Amino acid sequence: MDKFIICGGKRLEGSICAQSAKNSVLPLLAASVLTGDPVVIREVPDISDVACMAEILKEIGAEVTMADGNVRIDSANASNHSIPPTLTRELRSSVFMLGSLLARFHRAACAYPGGCDIGLRPIDLHLNALKRLGVRIREREGYITCECEKLKGAEIALDFPSVGATENILLAAVGAEGTTVVGGAAKEPEIVDLQNFLNAMGADVSGAGTDVIRIGGGRPLHGASYTPVKDRIEAGSYLIACAICGGEVEVRGVGGDTLGLLLHKLRENGCKIHTKNDKIRITSGGRLKCNRKIETMPFPGFPTDLQAQMTALNAGAEGVAVIAENLFETRYKYVPELIKMGADIEVRGRNAVVRGVGRLHGAVVSCGDLRGGAALVLAALGAEGTSEVHELSYVDRGYADLEQKLGSLGADIRRVRA
Ligand code: UD1
């Protein structure tokens, strides 16, 4: 397994461009099989979650080719509706295939999805919504089989604004007869991106970005060529890296509107932030104050996917911060690793009390999930001395060219191949 050797304490200076959003690209890849025409998704990041989704598409019989960062999917000859458990368990986003396969073929089967172990992560909201659209579902020994004669538009009210369930409903409902209205929908920018992509394929979806989305189903869908939105979580991770290390960094591709609460929190830490169009510039003196409280919420609240990175920042700042994780049950598994680096953090259920120690020190640590792993990398960049960060397969799920990008900003980070 690869590891990073990181020599901490280097200021970060320079400008980088955010990659396309992982959380857009994955549902877009699932959406590509809604039509038998070729679909091209441009500027796709080289991350292992994308490679896994490409394997799933090949498994159902699609031809998937990647060249110059663009992915071309041709599912004209797709005929398999069943995704093997080995692939489903690798990647939670495999569950999106249920929506798109049902819309195209009226049948789909997969094992319960996997992904990062950050909580229970049930899919009851997905399955109940599919039932509302007329799908019969059988669950046996961890395997889910779905079928219907046709999908029928329906009114669906989500008890919780689940990102994945909202996206799955969109994917299925474009293939339904009649109109579907989703109330209590998630409002993440990646859902707006999925709406735009579906409309580029000829669908009639409106309202994404608000909590009511309307899908006029049954239109014939055709091929499209599409560039996804940029990754606000990746961009936020680099901004936090600069805050921790000190320096001046510009991140291109993401506007202040999708990272509003992070920028507010970084200002509280003592950083200066300037936003202009789709650029964010951060200046940090490196000595930071703790945030009083950070509470994760569905968009536009503070993103759970930046919780771990901000905990790492607070661990090396001055003061006391309380972090409240409201989305996932076990999203503090990286905390014992930060404690190895000198952090003083107490986890009590969904809350973590972080007593800032001013500066962390280098240690040998291991990633246990994607964002927790990113937090360890950022902590090591700011720490005194050298760190080893092991189990990089987790960060490779979501960050393309992580060490090259950080290296271009002046970080001392090296990947050692196992
Ligand atoms: C997506 C993102 C992930 C992010 C999360 C929250 C992708 C590929 N992943 O994950 O990076 O951390 O949104 O912003 O876009 N829930 C249920 N039943 C369900 C579905 C969800 O109880 O059927 C619960 C989950 O357990 C969790 C909460 O709802 O507590 C939020 O989950 P959800 O918004 O669905 O997250 P994902 O789509 O899995």
Side-chain angles (χ1 to χ4, degrees):
M1 216 47 114
D2 292 0
K3 65 181 174 190
F4 282 145
I5 311 279
I6 297 173
C7 188
K10 303 280 185 284
R11 282 169 62 83
L12 301 187
E13 306 273 350
S15 174
I16 49 168
C17 187
Q19 68 189 24
S20 292
K22 170 180 88 74
N23 289 352
S24 268
V25 171
L26 297 174
L28 296 190
L29 287 170
S32 70
V33 304
L34 287 167
T35 173
D37 292 349
V39 165
V40 175
I41 303 176
R42 293 192 226 104
E43 296 175 21
V44 173
D46 182 12
I47 53 178
S48 61
D49 273 9
V50 165
C52 185
M53 198 65 176
E55 284 309 308
I56 290 174
L57 295 175
K58 286 182 195 164
E59 193 61 38
I60 63 152
E63 275 177 34
V64 183
T65 43
M66 301 196 200
D68 303 328
N70 301 329
V71 177
R72 182 178 188 277
I73 305 102
D74 183 343
S75 64
N77 298 320
S79 56
N80 180 13
H81 317 120
S82 178
I83 304 159
T86 41
L87 289 173
T88 327
R89 297 212 170 99
E90 283 268 302
L91 183 67
R92 185 171 166 82
S93 300
S94 54
V95 76
F96 297 133
M97 295 307 297
L98 292 181
S100 48
L101 288 174
L102 281 163
R104 171 110 177 255
F105 302 112
H106 299 162
R107 345 177 40 174
C110 71
Y112 262 92
C116 279
D117 179 13
I118 53 177
L120 296 172
R121 308 192 85 175
I123 55 165
D124 54 317
L125 298 172
H126 300 242
L127 299 184
N128 288 338
L130 293 176
K131 283 180 193 160
R132 295 275 303 149
L133 295 172
V135 179
R136 290 186 302 279
I137 298 179
R138 273 186 300 137
E139 296 175 65
R140 204 174 290 155
E141 290 167 6
Y143 215 73
I144 308 160
T145 310
C146 305
E147 50 190 5
C148 58
E149 276 71 56
K150 60 180 182 196
L151 292 163
K152 282 180 286 196
E155 294 210 354
I156 300 172
L158 287 174
D159 290 335
F160 183 85
S162 156
V163 176
T166 303
E167 292 171 337
N168 225 341
I169 296 168
L170 261 58
L171 292 169
V174 292
E177 210 169 76
T179 300
T180 297
V181 179
V182 193
K187 297 185 276 216
E188 270 68 2
E190 293 77 17
I191 294 169
V192 179
D193 211 33
L194 178 60
Q195 165 179 286
N196 293 342
F197 178 60
L198 293 171
N199 288 343
M201 293 171 83
D204 171 22
V205 184
S206 57
T210 75
D211 52 12
V212 180
I213 304 179
R214 185 188 156 284
I215 305 118
R219 289 199 178 194
L221 300 187
H222 50 73
S225 182
Y226 192 80
T227 307
V229 285
K230 298 290 185 229
D231 199 316
R232 61 197 166 94
I233 303 300
E234 189 218 16
S237 303
Y238 287 113
L239 294 172
I240 298 168
C242 178
I244 292 175
C245 296
E248 188 168 346
V249 165
E250 177 187 72
V251 180
R252 306 187 305 277
V254 174
D257 51 335
T258 57
L259 279 173
L261 264 181
L262 172 71
L263 303 185
H264 172 68
K265 292 293 164 192
L266 290 170
R267 286 188 179 112
E268 267 180 22
N269 298 128
C271 301
K272 290 201 177 74
I273 307 276
H274 291 284
T275 62
K276 196 173 177 194
N277 304 326
D278 66 344
K279 288 190 192 118
I280 304 175
R281 176 176 288 273
I282 181 168
T283 312
S284 166
R287 278 179 71 96
L288 303 176
K289 295 188 291 277
C290 282
N291 301 105
R292 203 176 58 79
K293 182 146 198 193
I294 296 179
E295 192 157 359
T296 67
M297 292 283 182
F299 189 83
F302 190 89
T304 174
D305 287 351
L306 288 172
Q307 177 260 102
Q309 300 89 318
M310 280 305 274
T311 303
L313 178 153
N314 278 281
E318 277 158 21
V320 179
V322 176
I323 315 286
E325 172 55 58
N326 293 314
L327 275 292
F328 294 107
E329 296 83 359
T330 55
R331 216 168 188 182
Y332 289 122
K333 290 205 313 197
Y334 62 89
V335 164
E337 302 302 292
L338 282 183
I339 290 172
K340 289 182 192 163
M341 303 177 81
D344 180 352
I345 305 175
E346 197 183 328
V347 176
R348 297 185 198 141
R350 285 178 176 264
N351 294 332
V353 179
V354 185
R355 292 182 190 83
V357 296
R359 186 145 188 217
L360 301 176
H361 57 73
V364 177
V365 292
S366 275
C367 306
D369 66 88
L370 165 58
R371 305 303 171 185
L376 298 178
V377 171
L378 302 194
L381 291 172
E384 196 168 349
T386 302
S387 296
E388 285 187 19
V389 182
H390 290 248
E391 305 286 343
L392 295 186
S393 59
Y394 290 103
V395 286
D396 292 340
R397 296 184 71 146
Y399 293 88
D401 307 322
L402 182 58
E403 63 272 30
Q404 288 87 341
K405 280 183 160 175
L406 287 169
S408 77
L409 298 175
D412 186 343
I413 175 168
R414 189 158 55 85
R415 182 183 288 254
V416 177
R417 304 255 169 215

mmCIF file with all atom_site columns, all heavy atoms in Angstrom, residues 373-384:
data_model
loop_
_atom_site.group_PDB
_atom_site.id
_atom_site.type_symbol
_atom_site.label_atom_id
_atom_site.label_alt_id
_atom_site.label_comp_id
_atom_site.label_asym_id
_atom_site.label_entity_id
_atom_site.label_seq_id
_atom_site.pdbx_PDB_ins_code
_atom_site.Cartn_x
_atom_site.Cartn_y
_atom_site.Cartn_z
_atom_site.occupancy
_atom_site.B_iso_or_equiv
_atom_site.pdbx_formal_charge
_atom_site.auth_seq_id
_atom_site.auth_comp_id
_atom_site.auth_asym_id
_atom_site.auth_atom_id
_atom_site.pdbx_PDB_model_num
ATOM 1  N N   . GLY A 1 373 ? -8.842 10.718 5.841  1.00 0.00 ? 373 GLY A N   1
ATOM 2  C CA  . GLY A 1 373 ? -7.481 10.600 5.307  1.00 0.00 ? 373 GLY A CA  1
ATOM 3  C C   . GLY A 1 373 ? -6.959 11.959 4.861  1.00 0.00 ? 373 GLY A C   1
ATOM 4  O O   . GLY A 1 373 ? -5.805 12.317 5.128  1.00 0.00 ? 373 GLY A O   1
ATOM 5  N N   . ALA A 1 374 ? -7.815 12.736 4.189  1.00 0.00 ? 374 ALA A N   1
ATOM 6  C CA  . ALA A 1 374 ? -7.400 14.077 3.755  1.00 0.00 ? 374 ALA A CA  1
ATOM 7  C C   . ALA A 1 374 ? -7.034 14.932 4.967  1.00 0.00 ? 374 ALA A C   1
ATOM 8  O O   . ALA A 1 374 ? -6.056 15.690 4.951  1.00 0.00 ? 374 ALA A O   1
ATOM 9  C CB  . ALA A 1 374 ? -8.528 14.741 2.965  1.00 0.00 ? 374 ALA A CB  1
ATOM 10 N N   . ALA A 1 375 ? -7.801 14.773 6.052  1.00 0.00 ? 375 ALA A N   1
ATOM 11 C CA  . ALA A 1 375 ? -7.529 15.543 7.265  1.00 0.00 ? 375 ALA A CA  1
ATOM 12 C C   . ALA A 1 375 ? -6.142 15.208 7.814  1.00 0.00 ? 375 ALA A C   1
ATOM 13 O O   . ALA A 1 375 ? -5.407 16.096 8.268  1.00 0.00 ? 375 ALA A O   1
ATOM 14 C CB  . ALA A 1 375 ? -8.596 15.253 8.317  1.00 0.00 ? 375 ALA A CB  1
ATOM 15 N N   . LEU A 1 376 ? -5.751 13.941 7.742  1.00 0.00 ? 376 LEU A N   1
ATOM 16 C CA  . LEU A 1 376 ? -4.424 13.543 8.250  1.00 0.00 ? 376 LEU A CA  1
ATOM 17 C C   . LEU A 1 376 ? -3.322 14.145 7.389  1.00 0.00 ? 376 LEU A C   1
ATOM 18 O O   . LEU A 1 376 ? -2.285 14.587 7.900  1.00 0.00 ? 376 LEU A O   1
ATOM 19 C CB  . LEU A 1 376 ? -4.297 12.018 8.278  1.00 0.00 ? 376 LEU A CB  1
ATOM 20 C CG  . LEU A 1 376 ? -5.283 11.283 9.191  1.00 0.00 ? 376 LEU A CG  1
ATOM 21 C CD1 . LEU A 1 376 ? -5.080 9.778  9.090  1.00 0.00 ? 376 LEU A CD1 1
ATOM 22 C CD2 . LEU A 1 376 ? -5.131 11.746 10.637 1.00 0.00 ? 376 LEU A CD2 1
ATOM 23 N N   . VAL A 1 377 ? -3.553 14.179 6.062  1.00 0.00 ? 377 VAL A N   1
ATOM 24 C CA  . VAL A 1 377 ? -2.551 14.790 5.166  1.00 0.00 ? 377 VAL A CA  1
ATOM 25 C C   . VAL A 1 377 ? -2.397 16.273 5.516  1.00 0.00 ? 377 VAL A C   1
ATOM 26 O O   . VAL A 1 377 ? -1.278 16.783 5.654  1.00 0.00 ? 377 VAL A O   1
ATOM 27 C CB  . VAL A 1 377 ? -2.974 14.615 3.687  1.00 0.00 ? 377 VAL A CB  1
ATOM 28 C CG1 . VAL A 1 377 ? -2.070 15.426 2.764  1.00 0.00 ? 377 VAL A CG1 1
ATOM 29 C CG2 . VAL A 1 377 ? -2.951 13.141 3.300  1.00 0.00 ? 377 VAL A CG2 1
ATOM 30 N N   . LEU A 1 378 ? -3.512 16.973 5.707  1.00 0.00 ? 378 LEU A N   1
ATOM 31 C CA  . LEU A 1 378 ? -3.441 18.414 6.013  1.00 0.00 ? 378 LEU A CA  1
ATOM 32 C C   . LEU A 1 378 ? -2.764 18.641 7.365  1.00 0.00 ? 378 LEU A C   1
ATOM 33 O O   . LEU A 1 378 ? -1.957 19.551 7.523  1.00 0.00 ? 378 LEU A O   1
ATOM 34 C CB  . LEU A 1 378 ? -4.845 19.037 6.026  1.00 0.00 ? 378 LEU A CB  1
ATOM 35 C CG  . LEU A 1 378 ? -5.692 18.913 4.749  1.00 0.00 ? 378 LEU A CG  1
ATOM 36 C CD1 . LEU A 1 378 ? -6.880 19.858 4.808  1.00 0.00 ? 378 LEU A CD1 1
ATOM 37 C CD2 . LEU A 1 378 ? -4.895 19.178 3.497  1.00 0.00 ? 378 LEU A CD2 1
ATOM 38 N N   . ALA A 1 379 ? -3.113 17.788 8.343  1.00 0.00 ? 379 ALA A N   1
ATOM 39 C CA  . ALA A 1 379 ? -2.496 17.923 9.668  1.00 0.00 ? 379 ALA A CA  1
ATOM 40 C C   . ALA A 1 379 ? -0.981 17.742 9.552  1.00 0.00 ? 379 ALA A C   1
ATOM 41 O O   . ALA A 1 379 ? -0.200 18.498 10.142 1.00 0.00 ? 379 ALA A O   1
ATOM 42 C CB  . ALA A 1 379 ? -3.080 16.894 10.619 1.00 0.00 ? 379 ALA A CB  1
ATOM 43 N N   . ALA A 1 380 ? -0.550 16.753 8.759  1.00 0.00 ? 380 ALA A N   1
ATOM 44 C CA  . ALA A 1 380 ? 0.880  16.479 8.599  1.00 0.00 ? 380 ALA A CA  1
ATOM 45 C C   . ALA A 1 380 ? 1.592  17.643 7.909  1.00 0.00 ? 380 ALA A C   1
ATOM 46 O O   . ALA A 1 380 ? 2.742  17.962 8.230  1.00 0.00 ? 380 ALA A O   1
ATOM 47 C CB  . ALA A 1 380 ? 1.082  15.192 7.804  1.00 0.00 ? 380 ALA A CB  1
ATOM 48 N N   . LEU A 1 381 ? 0.904  18.311 6.962  1.00 0.00 ? 381 LEU A N   1
ATOM 49 C CA  . LEU A 1 381 ? 1.518  19.450 6.260  1.00 0.00 ? 381 LEU A CA  1
ATOM 50 C C   . LEU A 1 381 ? 1.825  20.579 7.230  1.00 0.00 ? 381 LEU A C   1
ATOM 51 O O   . LEU A 1 381 ? 2.797  21.310 7.071  1.00 0.00 ? 381 LEU A O   1
ATOM 52 C CB  . LEU A 1 381 ? 0.570  19.983 5.173  1.00 0.00 ? 381 LEU A CB  1
ATOM 53 C CG  . LEU A 1 381 ? 0.328  19.097 3.960  1.00 0.00 ? 381 LEU A CG  1
ATOM 54 C CD1 . LEU A 1 381 ? -0.769 19.695 3.089  1.00 0.00 ? 381 LEU A CD1 1
ATOM 55 C CD2 . LEU A 1 381 ? 1.610  18.915 3.154  1.00 0.00 ? 381 LEU A CD2 1
ATOM 56 N N   . GLY A 1 382 ? 0.968  20.736 8.260  1.00 0.00 ? 382 GLY A N   1
ATOM 57 C CA  . GLY A 1 382 ? 1.165  21.833 9.212  1.00 0.00 ? 382 GLY A CA  1
ATOM 58 C C   . GLY A 1 382 ? 1.990  21.437 10.417 1.00 0.00 ? 382 GLY A C   1
ATOM 59 O O   . GLY A 1 382 ? 2.385  22.292 11.213 1.00 0.00 ? 382 GLY A O   1
ATOM 60 N N   . ALA A 1 383 ? 2.259  20.141 10.580 1.00 0.00 ? 383 ALA A N   1
ATOM 61 C CA  . ALA A 1 383 ? 2.897  19.665 11.815 1.00 0.00 ? 383 ALA A CA  1
ATOM 62 C C   . ALA A 1 383 ? 4.400  19.951 11.817 1.00 0.00 ? 383 ALA A C   1
ATOM 63 O O   . ALA A 1 383 ? 5.021  20.143 10.772 1.00 0.00 ? 383 ALA A O   1
ATOM 64 C CB  . ALA A 1 383 ? 2.646  18.170 11.958 1.00 0.00 ? 383 ALA A CB  1
ATOM 65 N N   . GLU A 1 384 ? 4.963  19.926 13.026 1.00 0.00 ? 384 GLU A N   1
ATOM 66 C CA  . GLU A 1 384 ? 6.409  20.076 13.155 1.00 0.00 ? 384 GLU A CA  1
ATOM 67 C C   . GLU A 1 384 ? 7.044  18.702 12.937 1.00 0.00 ? 384 GLU A C   1
ATOM 68 O O   . GLU A 1 384 ? 6.623  17.731 13.563 1.00 0.00 ? 384 GLU A O   1
ATOM 69 C CB  . GLU A 1 384 ? 6.709  20.565 14.580 1.00 0.00 ? 384 GLU A CB  1
ATOM 70 C CG  . GLU A 1 384 ? 8.079  21.111 14.712 1.00 0.00 ? 384 GLU A CG  1
ATOM 71 C CD  . GLU A 1 384 ? 8.248  21.837 16.037 1.00 0.00 ? 384 GLU A CD  1
ATOM 72 O OE1 . GLU A 1 384 ? 7.251  22.092 16.754 1.00 0.00 ? 384 GLU A OE1 1
ATOM 73 O OE2 . GLU A 1 384 ? 9.406  22.118 16.346 1.00 0.00 ? 384 GLU A OE2 1
#
